[in-house]
């Protein structure tokens, strides 16, 4: 019961400048029909949301588009800037406060880029409302349809007599629970929260949604928002009372339907939103198998050991801004030194990931956000966590693979700094021999800290096959599966496991026969690996003498050294973007020349195929003014960036042509879609050759990454010196599946017959003009794919350096006739799965 002697009315003031209008004018039924509560709307002309009253920030969405303020017990006010702005993934919003902050009326809360919102959101009209409350009612002050300035009174929250106090949920009488993974691309934000409430209200049962240890009442949008539930999170729907079963079913079905917001690569703000069906989470089969997605191939036998990492608890209140800032600065310095030291002794993927972490630590926006919170009284650890999480979540919410990878890296930095600040540094992660690690998720630093002598493989509930963790696992030769779903936690600690990452399958508690078979296979592979390593230096020929070049994909000089040690016969793809990313200015001509020369020297005369910069859109560089794109995979990337920045293209070609001896470097063009692009690049190469006085022919080849390039391979081959298939991109474009989207991770497979037919077409086109075709995408490192590729006519395979000995040994056992027949059969298969089955049965 509310006592109105003790509870006063609260006046709410305009949080922004603009035009005041009725809530019914908001073009979103959730707001217009008052599903979330009563209030008004403002069509903004200013660019800042201010606090409409004194209070505490209950939620500030990671994407910065909405904020709720607790004005009093039972009075929570929502300001939601624009409609569908959650889909901007944080673009255009700068949160100025953190969840939990106490604010005074008029304090700035969020700054927004009004121009960007006008351009990209369906509407900028901003609801300001009292979230459905039994304790208060809304009484408007002044009429609608008039201009308001920040601070003008808008409405009064009037305490209600006799309002029933909401019973706190109890644990008694739980009758129904359902666990599910959240399929909503933007998590539970205002609109799904309102729909969930609407559904829950149809039943008398109390329905709760539980995430980790946080519990929300399904009828309370604000508690739903505070769950912070994101795409892919496991949540539990619980029901209590007479019609609990029906209520839980209805709420779970609503969430599982995706509510028109299921993760979908085709979804764009403002576009009609199809109701997508969420991919079902894998379940353990009757014979004890659990499927996953291969992040790193291989076979391992071991025991299940779970990696539990408790969230590091932080105290929100600081002991004084100066002291807290000094502590944060110290922790940042310590981690920066550690990352540098770790990078100094690392090589390849590990080194570049550590370098990326080091540069992310320098991010000024993170430091500024933390500093602002510390100045407001927060502790260093709370400020760091609250500064980094919204950014990580906003990156993840973009749905973009490369950005999402960086979100995982940010989580890693969050944990490492909190460990330092709270003095709870994670002990070295040690496990007994033959451990197969099971975890919710694994951070890059955790994987790097594992003892590879004891951990023989890992499986994670979440994750994607293109994450840094996947890249690291492949570079460590550690079999790994990702996206295995919550069923992973049903596996008893210590269970015997066979992790067959090649078949994307985990066998739990195998019987004696399966175990014996796996052991034989493993021993056989081990013997073969030793033999392959011993013979790695020999040139690669098939059984009948046909020459197949086995090259390596490189990103640095250290990679080149490792590749040579593994018997690589050259470099089929130098990813030059490593030199260009994570920095404020483009590398100079001298810097580029020195780096390419060092790699050429490390290859000691072997061919070095340098790919022109493959950057843009999904791999942004701050010094390249490429506008944000709705669909970066189809935008300004690859050679298109070079044409948009001719100086950059010329400098890179000049740097490559300066490498001695002339001819060791060949030039490869990424993302070719038509012949004239090859001609333009050839024109630049010839011009610079003339300028440098180079008479020798310099080879210029094209990457076949688009269906357009594959089907016009004969036209390209007339003028290109070689063709190299980038199967990673060719697969994503052929199958219309985003290569980094976990929702399609299980289906995106380069062995799809459509992709194989495009490779066949490429080989035919190249052969017509006596040109060779290589493969430098992931298929070249896949032992199941190699016989098919060779059978289709591929004569150069550029693989991950660590796998070169194995690929060479495999090719040496193959006969061309058998490979051709095998490839022809693969082209007739109905699906990638059928091709994989065929490939597993193939004997050369
Ligand atoms: C590819 O697309 O297959 C490729 C090798 O290029 P990247 O993976 O760098 O896009
Ligand atoms: Mg590519």
């Amino acid at each position: 019961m509310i006592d109105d002697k003790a509870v006063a009315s609260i006046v709410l003031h305009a949080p922004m400048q603009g035009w005041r209008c009725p809530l019914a004018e908001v073009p979103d039924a959730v707001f217009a029909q008052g599903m979330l509560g009563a209030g008004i709307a403002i069509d903004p002309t200013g660019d800042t949301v201010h606090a409409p009253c004194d209070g505490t920030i209950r939620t500030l969405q990671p994407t910065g588009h909405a904020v709720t303020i607790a004005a009093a017990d039972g009075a929570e006010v929502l300001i939601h800037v624009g409609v569908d702005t959650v889909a901007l993934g944080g673009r255009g919003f700068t949160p100025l406060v953190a969840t939990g902050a106490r604010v005074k009326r008029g304090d700035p809360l969020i700054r927004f880029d009004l121009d960007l919102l006008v351009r990209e959101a369906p509407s900028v009209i901003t609801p300001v409302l009292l979230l459905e409350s039994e304790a208060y009612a809304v009484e408007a002050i002044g009429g609608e349809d008039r201009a308001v300035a920040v601070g003008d009174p808008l409405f009064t929250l009037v305490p209600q007599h006799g309002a029933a106090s909401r019973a706190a949920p109890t644990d008694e009488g739980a009758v129904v629970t359902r666990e599910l993974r959240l399929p909503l691309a933007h998590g539970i934000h205002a609109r799904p929260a309102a729909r969930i409430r609407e559904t829950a209200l149809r039943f008398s049962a109390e329905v709760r949604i539980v995430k980790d240890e946080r519990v929300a009442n399904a009828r309370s949008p604000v508690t739903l928002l505070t769950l912070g539930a994101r795409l892919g999170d496991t949540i539990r729907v619980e029901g209590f009372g007479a019609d609990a079963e029906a209520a839980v079913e209805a709420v779970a079905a609503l969430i599982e339907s995706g509510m028109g917001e299921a993760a979908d690569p085709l979804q764009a703000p403002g576009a009609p939103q199809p109701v997508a069906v969420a991919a079902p989470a894998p379940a353990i089969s009757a014979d004890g198998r659990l499927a996953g997605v291969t992040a790193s191939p291989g076979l391992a036998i071991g025991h299940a050991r779970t990696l539990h990492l408790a969230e590091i608890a932080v105290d929100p209140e600081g002991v004084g801004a100066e002291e807290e800032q000094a502590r944060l600065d110290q922790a940042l310095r310590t981690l920066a030194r550690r990352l540098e030291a770790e990078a100094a002794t690392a090589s390849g993927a590990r080194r570049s990931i550590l370098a990326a972490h080091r540069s992310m630590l320098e991010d000024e926006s993170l430091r500024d956000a933390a500093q602002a919170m510390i100045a407001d009284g927060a502790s260093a650890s709370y400020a760091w966590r609250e500064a980094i999480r919204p950014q990580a979540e906003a990156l993840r919410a973009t749905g973009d693979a490369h950005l999402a990878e960086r979100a995982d890296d940010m989580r890693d930095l969050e944990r490492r700094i909190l460990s330092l600040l709270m003095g709870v540094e994670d002990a070295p992660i040690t496990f007994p021999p033959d451990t197969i690690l099971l975890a919710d998720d694994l951070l890059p630093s955790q994987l790097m800290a594992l003892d590879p002598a004891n951990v023989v493989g890992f499986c994670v509930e979440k994750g994607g096959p293109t994450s840094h963790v996947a890249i690291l696992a492949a570079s460590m030769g550690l079999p790994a599966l990702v996206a295995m779903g919550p069923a992973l936690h049903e596996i008893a600690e210590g269970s015997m496991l066979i992790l067959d990452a090649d078949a994307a399958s985990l066998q739990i508690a195998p019987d004696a026969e399966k175990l014996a078979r796996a052991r034989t296979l493993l021993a056989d592979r081990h013997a073969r690996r030793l033999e392959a390593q011993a013979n790695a230096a020999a040139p690669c020929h098939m059984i009948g003498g046909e020459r197949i070049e086995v090259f390596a994909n490189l990103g640095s000089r250290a990679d080149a050294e490792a590749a040579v040690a593994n018997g690589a016969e050259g470099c089929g793809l130098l990813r030059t973007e490593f030199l260009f990313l994570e920095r404020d200015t483009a590398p100079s001509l001298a810097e580029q020349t020195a780096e390419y020369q060092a790699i050429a020297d490390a290859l000691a005369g072997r061919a070095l195929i340098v790919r022109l910069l493959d950057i843009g859109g999904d791999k942004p560089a701050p010094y390249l003014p490429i506008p944000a794109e709705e669909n970066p995979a189809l935008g300004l990337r690859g050679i298109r960036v070079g044409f948009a920045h001719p100086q950059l293209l010329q400098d890179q070609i000049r740097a490559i042509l300066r490498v001695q001896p002339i001819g060791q470097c060949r030039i490869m063009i990424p993302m070719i879609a038509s012949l004239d692009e090859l001609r333009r690049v050839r024109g630049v190469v010839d011009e610079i050759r003339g300028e440098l006085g180079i008479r020798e022919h310099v080879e210029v080849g094209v990457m076949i990454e688009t269906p357009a390039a594959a089907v016009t391979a004969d036209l390209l081959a007339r003028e290109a010196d070689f063709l190299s298939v980038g199967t990673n991109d060719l697969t994503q474009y052929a199958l219309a599946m985003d290569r980094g989207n976990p929702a399609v991770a299980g289906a995106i497979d380069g062995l799809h017959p459509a992709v194989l037919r495009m490779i066949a077409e490429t080989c035919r086109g190249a052969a017509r003009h006596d040109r060779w075709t290589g493969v430098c995408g992931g298929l070249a490192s896949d032992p199941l794919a190699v016989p098919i590729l060779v059978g289709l006519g591929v004569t150069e395979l550029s693989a991950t350096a660590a796998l070169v000995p194995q690929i060479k040994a495999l090719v040496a056992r193959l006969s061309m006739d058998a490979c051709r027949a095998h490839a022809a059969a693969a082209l007739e298969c109905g699906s990638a799965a059928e091709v994989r089955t065929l490939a597993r049965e193939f004997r050369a």
Side-chain angles (χ1 to χ4, degrees), residues 13-17 48-53 69 79 106-110 150:
H13 298 259
M16 54 175 57
Q17 177 188 310
T48 306
V49 177
H50 297 261
C53 55
I69 303 136
I79 304 165
D107 282 355
L109 309 180
I110 301 170
V150 173

Side-chain angles (χ1 to χ4, degrees), residues 533-586:
Q533 198 71 47
N535 298 328
C540 184
H541 293 276
M542 296 178 74
I543 227 163
E546 297 86 349
R547 175 84 169 107
I548 304 290
E549 292 176 306
V550 181
F551 286 8
N553 292 348
L554 308 179
S556 67
R557 184 199 170 108
D559 284 356
E561 285 162 2
V564 169
N566 278 318
E569 300 175 276
C571 164
L573 165 63
L574 176 64
R575 289 191 157 100
T576 57
E577 56 273 17
F578 280 100
L579 242 177
F580 287 77
L581 292 171
E582 316 287 358
R583 49 189 296 159
D584 298 329
T585 53

Side-chain angles (χ1 to χ4, degrees), residues 139-431:
E139 263 178 24
I141 304 174
E144 306 294 4
D145 292 321
R146 60 187 172 85
V148 284
V150 173
D152 285 355
L154 288 183
F155 52 81
T156 309
L157 307 182
V158 184
Q160 296 299 287
H161 292 276
S165 60
R166 232 175 278 154
T170 71
D171 274 341
E172 278 166 31
V175 288
V176 187
T177 67
R178 266 282 304 276
E179 199 162 88
L180 52 97
R181 288 182 76 171
L182 199 63
L184 307 176
H186 308 297
I188 298 184
H189 61 100
R191 196 172 28 196
R195 303 265 318 263
I196 292 170
R197 171 175 190 274
E198 223 186 340
T199 304
L201 281 174
R202 299 205 319 258
F203 300 90
S204 64
E206 184 188 348
V207 181
R208 298 171 181 177
I209 297 192
V210 185
K211 190 198 141 228
D212 302 328
E213 66 285 14
R214 281 192 240 166
V215 181
N217 183 338
R219 296 179 183 185
S220 159
V222 77
T223 61
L224 288 170
L225 296 182
T226 56
L227 284 177
R230 311 255 167 270
L231 171 66
D233 280 350
T234 300
I235 58 171
R236 205 166 62 243
V237 184
E238 298 179 345
F240 306 80
D243 52 0
E245 188 153 2
V248 166
E249 263 326 299
V251 169
L254 174 76
I255 296 172
E256 281 175 331
S257 77
M259 297 186 228
E261 297 191 5
D264 180 339
L266 300 177
Q267 210 174 58
Q273 304 198 337
V275 178
V277 180
I284 298 175
S285 66
D287 65 344
R289 272 182 303 116
L290 180 61
V293 173
T294 304
S296 169
L299 176 71
I301 301 172
H303 295 276
R305 312 269 176 222
T306 308
L307 175 66
H308 292 292
L309 273 186
E311 172 109 357
I312 299 174
V314 300
D315 189 353
E317 304 283 339
V319 295
E322 212 169 303
E323 190 175 327
E324 295 294 341
Q325 188 62 48
R327 293 184 62 227
L328 179 59
D329 290 345
Q330 177 60 40
L332 290 168
R333 275 195 301 274
T334 306
L335 183 55
R337 274 199 305 274
R338 283 191 189 174
L339 287 168
E340 266 163 26
E342 288 166 13
T345 55
S347 66
R350 184 182 285 241
R351 187 189 180 108
S352 47
I353 290 165
L354 289 165
H357 284 194
R358 170 80 182 79
S359 84
M360 284 162 74
L361 208 58
E362 300 285 316
D363 188 305
E364 275 182 20
S365 63
L366 273 182
R367 290 176 178 230
D368 290 351
Q371 193 171 358
M373 283 184 259
I374 288 174
D376 263 358
S379 67
S381 39
Y382 182 82
W384 179 250
R385 197 183 69 188
E386 295 303 307
I388 208 162
R389 280 198 182 173
Q391 295 215 23
E393 290 309 328
L395 289 175
R396 213 185 289 284
T398 62
D400 178 283
H402 294 275
L403 296 181
E405 281 168 13
R406 296 192 69 187
D408 285 344
D409 297 320
M410 288 180 117
R411 281 198 327 132
D412 205 345
L413 291 181
E414 174 196 320
R415 188 168 182 96
R416 293 192 77 174
I417 289 290
L418 291 190
S419 305
L420 284 167
L421 284 169
M422 304 306 293
V424 289
E425 290 200 50
D426 294 327
I429 311 174
T430 53
F431 289 96

Side-chain angles (χ1 to χ4, degrees), residues 573 575 577 611 614 619 637 703 705 726-729 739 776-778:
L573 165 63
R575 289 191 157 100
E577 56 273 17
R611 171 169 77 181
D614 186 12
K619 302 176 195 167
R637 59 165 301 193
M703 282 189 81
E705 293 172 288
T727 49
N728 307 334
D729 276 314
R739 61 193 264 191
C776 60

Side-chain angles (χ1 to χ4, degrees), residues 800-824:
T800 304
L803 294 174
V804 165
Q806 191 187 338
I807 302 291
K808 284 177 104 172
L810 168 62
V811 172
R813 294 194 299 273
L814 298 176
S815 96
M816 189 56 102
D817 285 348
C819 287
R820 286 198 179 126
H822 179 44

Side-chain angles (χ1 to χ4, degrees), residues 63 128 215 473 492 543 606 626 674 801:
T63 41
V128 181
V215 181
I543 227 163
R606 293 169 181 83
I626 298 174
S674 56

